[in-house]
Amino acid sequence: MVGKDEKTYDVMEIRREFPILERQVNGHPLIYLDSAASSQKPRAVIESQREYLSHFHSNIHRGAHALATQATEAFEGSREIVREYFNASKSSEIVFTSGATDSINLVAGTWGRSNLKSDSTILLTRLEHHSNIVPWQILATEIGCNIEVVDVLSDGSLDLSDFNEKLSLKPSLVCFSHVSNALGSINDVKKLTSLAHHAGSVVLIDGSQATPHCQVDLQDIDCDFYAFSGHKMYGPTGIGVLYGKLDLLELMPPWRGGGEMISSVSFEEPTTFNIPPYKFEAGTPNISGVIGLAQAISWMKSVGVDKIAAHELALTDYAHKKLLRIEGLKIYGTAEHKAGVVSFLVDGTHPSDLGTLLDQLGVAVRTGSHCTEPLMKWLGISGTVRASFAAYTTFEEIDALVAGVERAIKMLR
Ligand code: PMP
């Protein structure tokens, strides 16, 4: 069967590559609409990790044997796959971390701690996930610097005039998400980066929700740092990336101390540190995670990221239209440019009750604040029901969501 959006996109063929989609939940076929929290994994990713663990597992970089060489080649080859896919200019700009949260904490703990002063300003936005708020709050408390927040408009897009106004404060650092996890709004990151650079700021982008949905060209965006997680883009959990421009990474002090991140260690002389990216990769890394992430990228390339994006856009439009037919249902986040996320509330029902009843029908959605409490507070709500889509989502699954919501409403009202 062919996806409704375009003939070349065979969603059923894609689904066959995801073993988990064959399972039943609560007696119903699984309808997985929680991909923004974590996407499911294609067989190619699962197999790549199994293959590594079964045939060439070894620690990397320092072994004098065949397995160590093979594992090192796979690990560093994966770094090159990531570099090429995201169009970073050098593979030394790709630092492997445990996820977006870890990547942002790395920048806060190194670049932030050594560059920000008590009279500095960090500019954030009200759209941010807690991962792009709390590390900055911890740092700001430590060094006594100021945090300013850019507002959002009622449709969930960023308030550009407020962004420009706050840039007049000459923030040292400007941090914003590429795509909002709660509302789906897509920021024009190239434009925001250019405006922030004009104000003399360093720019960090949280790309966690963008990498599953669009092609990210780091040199084109020209940001200084870009953070994302593997598990949201069909890759494994526990692996993420911090992209940083090499001149910044070179000047940054190390992050965690340990093996691999040093050049020489001495009790008599000062210990010296390795070059990026190794300076920031202390200890044994998540080798199978890195291999799985590279495989996820290859998988996305084989399907075509633009095709996935077009399919998800069609799904999002369809979901908006169908859900809005339900009386008393309000969608939060109606920006013109949106990724595959639909957040909503229904009059007279609590989101967690809706989530529980949908789960009984096999429909997996997320409910709550989605780690965006400041945004929810600004919206005047405590949370939403969030349905999120991926390459394998079908229009029929959205029909099932709508039918499930209608059924739940009858039970709850
Ligand atoms: N930022 C955004 C926008 C997210 O959606 C998430 C995950 N919910 C994160 C950061 C944190 O990602 P991770 O938990 O993989 O570190």
Side-chain angles (χ1 to χ4, degrees), residues 36-37 99-102 104 129 131 177 179-181 206 208-209 229 231-232:
T101 303
D102 198 34
I104 296 169
H129 185 280
S131 293
S177 45
V179 173
S180 154
N181 66 309
D206 174 359
S208 310
Q209 295 291 342
S229 296
H231 70 96
K232 293 184 195 285

Side-chain angles (χ1 to χ4, degrees), residues 2-192:
V2 170
K4 284 184 189 172
D5 54 327
E6 55 179 287
K7 287 192 177 60
T8 55
Y9 194 83
D10 189 342
V11 70
M12 293 324 264
E13 197 180 309
I14 286 172
R15 287 177 72 81
R16 279 193 285 278
E17 298 183 47
F18 289 79
I20 205 167
L21 297 178
E22 287 160 21
R23 68 163 285 185
Q24 304 256 316
V25 169
N26 293 325
H28 298 272
L30 168 64
I31 294 180
Y32 187 75
L33 301 178
D34 196 19
S35 294
S38 199
S39 68
Q40 297 301 347
K41 320 300 168 203
R43 201 168 272 115
V45 169
I46 299 167
E47 276 303 306
S48 70
Q49 293 193 285
R50 199 192 59 78
E51 166 77 7
Y52 158 70
L53 293 169
S54 314
H55 296 294
F56 60 101
H57 166 70
S58 164
N59 212 330
I60 54 166
H61 292 147
R62 49 204 154 205
H65 55 85
L67 291 190
T69 306
Q70 204 179 339
T72 303
E73 280 172 9
F75 186 86
E76 291 303 334
S78 298
R79 199 190 303 274
E80 177 54 22
I81 289 173
V82 175
R83 182 210 67 74
E84 197 238 304
Y85 181 70
F86 289 100
N87 195 27
S89 59
K90 301 162 200 77
S91 59
S92 49
E93 297 181 319
I94 303 297
V95 179
F96 288 122
T97 64
S98 68
T101 303
D102 198 34
S103 300
I104 296 169
N105 276 280
L106 191 166
V107 178
T110 58
W111 184 90
R113 196 168 281 145
S114 56
N115 283 279
L116 299 176
K117 307 278 174 291
S118 57
D119 59 354
S120 304
T121 294
I122 303 172
L123 186 57
L124 306 179
T125 89
R126 207 171 284 285
L127 279 177
E128 299 318 300
H129 185 280
H130 295 165
S131 293
N132 203 19
I133 299 176
V134 184
W136 306 117
Q137 289 178 325
I138 292 172
L139 183 67
T141 305
E142 189 183 307
I143 58 184
C145 74
N146 179 37
I147 290 182
E148 293 287 333
V149 183
V150 179
D151 271 326
V152 287
L153 299 173
S154 55
D155 66 355
S157 60
L158 208 61
D159 183 340
L160 271 184
S161 65
D162 193 43
F163 186 77
N164 273 313
E165 209 168 292
K166 301 259 163 66
L167 284 181
S168 66
L169 300 169
K170 300 279 171 213
S172 305
L173 177 69
V174 179
C175 305
F176 46 84
S177 45
H178 194 157
V179 173
S180 154
N181 66 309
L183 304 181
S185 341
I186 303 175
N187 280 323
D188 184 344
V189 285
K190 187 173 173 181
K191 180 172 171 183
L192 298 180

Side-chain angles (χ1 to χ4, degrees), residues 265-288:
V265 178
S266 168
F267 285 122
E268 289 73 36
E269 310 287 333
T271 288
T272 55
F273 303 112
N274 208 338
I275 52 169
Y278 311 110
K279 179 163 72 171
F280 304 106
E281 294 179 353
T284 302
N286 181 354
I287 305 165
S288 68

